[in-house]
Structures are given as C-alpha cells and as structure tokens.
Amino acid sequence: MTLINFVQKDNLPTKIELENKIKELGYEFRFLTEFEQFENLNQIDSIDCVLNGNETFIEIYLNPANEILSDFPHLKKDLTEKDFAISFTFGADELVSACINLISIGLIDLSQAVVLYADDEIFYSREMFIQDISYGFENEEDETYSIPKEAIEGNLKYDQKKKRKYQIIDIVLWSLLIIGMILMNRKIISWYIPCLLLAIVLIKSIIEHNKK
C-alpha cells in the first residue's frame, strides 16, 4: 500500500516541529533517524521511529510532485500548488500504519498536505486518519494470543482418550505377564514366553519415560 503526502516544499516542517505536533495529538512519537528537514532524506529509503515505546521503521520516498503525478494525470488539477511528494509504503503492520498516519496528520496540520491513498486513488482527510489510528490501537489492545476454549477442550479429550488407551495396554501386558509366570511355574509353558512379555513391558516403560 502507498500513501503519498503532496506538499509545498517551502512549507515543510522540521523534524522537531513534526514530533511536537504529534505529541499534541496525545502520542509519544519520536524519529530515531537523524535529520532536520525532510529534503535531507533523499539518500535513504527508510527511517526509524518509536511510537509509545515501540520501535519500528517506515519506508519513505521523496520525489518532485510532477514525477508522481505522471502516474495520476487526472489528479493534477487538485494538486496544482504542490511541488513535493513524500511517499510511504506499508503493509498490514498496525504500528507502522499508525506512525505513517500520525506523520500524515502532522503534515496536514503544519504544511496543508494533500494526502493520496494511491492504491484506490482516493484522498484521505484528517478525520479519516484519526479514525484509522483509533481503530488500529483498539484492535491492538483487544488482540489476544490465547488458545480458543474449544481447542483446549478438544486437546484434553484427546489426551484423556490416549491415556486410557495406554492404561488398557498396560493392564493387558501385566495380566499376560502374571498369567505367564503362573503357567511357567506349573510347567505348562516354557520360560521364554514370560521373559518375552517382561522385555516388552520394560521396553514400553523406557520409551514412555524418554517421551516424558
């Protein structure tokens, strides 16, 4: 996804001015990359920042507005006074999205930026950004990583069934071993059958112990 801030280059705020504007909105935001003016960022394609204690980075590209508008010729009439474009690309990361939205709000307030959501070719208003940020933070707070109750109950039933199966096998093996010992003492069967059963019981016990 690509969000493009069209501005008048002479009206761009400094890094400090933008940080202070975002703090006025109630968010603890700071750029970690060293720069004073946005035009100083021409040699890099990403900047590090921190929002409410969470560090991340955002992709940023700077271009003359006419270069960008060559892809959107029908929008030129709405951007005749803008000569500079600050583009942000992002995916589904809520933190990155929130940082870009806050920077865009700051540019709207300080530089009268006109912001284009390039994928759908629609202009974004300040109110739309505020709504997106609030929704993103609500989702982040509500998001949990707990295992669903149904999955827990299903696993418990499976474990209990598996445990009962092993208990039945143990009972059968020990019963056969006892019967074999009795029959061996009465010289009805040979000694190697109880020994074989005993070996099976011991091997099974060792395997289960190693699994634990």
Side-chain angles (χ1 to χ4, degrees):
M1 295 180 283
T2 303
L3 201 67
I4 308 170
N5 284 258
F6 290 96
V7 298
Q8 194 70 24
K9 192 172 183 179
D10 293 340
N11 293 335
L12 277 173
T14 64
K15 178 181 76 171
I16 300 300
E17 288 172 339
L18 191 52
E19 287 176 342
N20 290 338
K21 173 56 67 173
I22 294 173
K23 286 176 182 176
E24 289 177 12
L25 300 172
Y27 298 93
E28 287 298 322
F29 177 86
R30 184 165 54 90
F31 290 106
L32 299 178
T33 301
E34 290 298 325
F35 69 96
E36 291 185 9
Q37 304 282 349
F38 272 102
E39 54 263 37
N40 302 141
L41 296 172
N42 280 323
Q43 303 303 316
I44 63 174
D45 58 10
S46 69
I47 51 177
D48 299 321
C49 55
V50 56
L51 174 60
N52 292 348
N54 300 300
E55 292 187 18
T56 188
F57 71 93
I58 54 180
E59 291 187 52
I60 181 171
Y61 304 93
L62 309 178
N63 301 93
N66 57 5
E67 289 185 8
I68 301 296
L69 289 173
S70 62
D71 295 326
F72 309 97
H74 56 290
L75 300 178
K76 286 184 178 181
K77 63 182 186 300
D78 300 306
L79 299 162
T80 53
E81 297 180 359
K82 309 302 180 184
D83 60 3
F84 196 65
I86 303 172
S87 304
F88 300 102
T89 59
F90 58 102
D93 189 299
E94 292 290 352
L95 178 61
V96 173
S97 178
C99 289
I100 292 171
N101 290 347
L102 286 168
I103 292 170
S104 297
I105 293 172
L107 290 171
I108 290 172
D109 289 352
L110 296 171
S111 303
Q112 297 74 54
V114 177
V115 187
L116 175 70
Y117 178 51
D119 301 66
D120 291 338
E121 295 188 22
I122 59 173
F123 290 109
Y124 250 58
S125 67
R126 188 182 192 279
E127 291 71 25
M128 292 166 74
F129 283 121
I130 293 291
Q131 185 176 356
D132 281 358
I133 294 168
S134 299
Y135 178 74
F137 275 102
E138 284 174 6
N139 279 355
E140 186 176 350
E141 290 172 0
D142 293 341
E143 187 173 343
T144 60
Y145 299 92
S146 57
I147 301 172
K149 183 179 178 181
E150 293 80 4
I152 294 174
E153 291 176 351
N155 287 339
L156 287 174
K157 288 179 182 178
Y158 175 77
D159 288 341
Q160 290 171 354
K161 185 177 180 181
K162 191 175 180 182
K163 187 176 181 181
R164 283 196 296 270
K165 177 182 176 182
Y166 284 131
Q167 286 174 342
I168 292 171
I169 293 173
D170 286 339
I171 291 170
V172 171
L173 285 174
W174 281 103
S175 298
L176 289 174
L177 179 60
I178 292 169
I179 292 171
M181 294 292 289
I182 293 171
L183 294 175
M184 184 187 70
N185 288 334
R186 294 181 180 180
K187 297 183 179 180
I188 297 175
I189 61 173
S190 177
W191 61 270
Y192 65 84
I193 294 178
C195 289
L196 179 61
L197 289 169
L198 180 61
I200 292 172
V201 170
L202 291 174
I203 291 170
K204 182 176 178 296
S205 298
I206 293 170
I207 292 172
E208 288 179 357
H209 176 75
N210 288 337
K211 283 183 179 179
K212 292 178 182 178

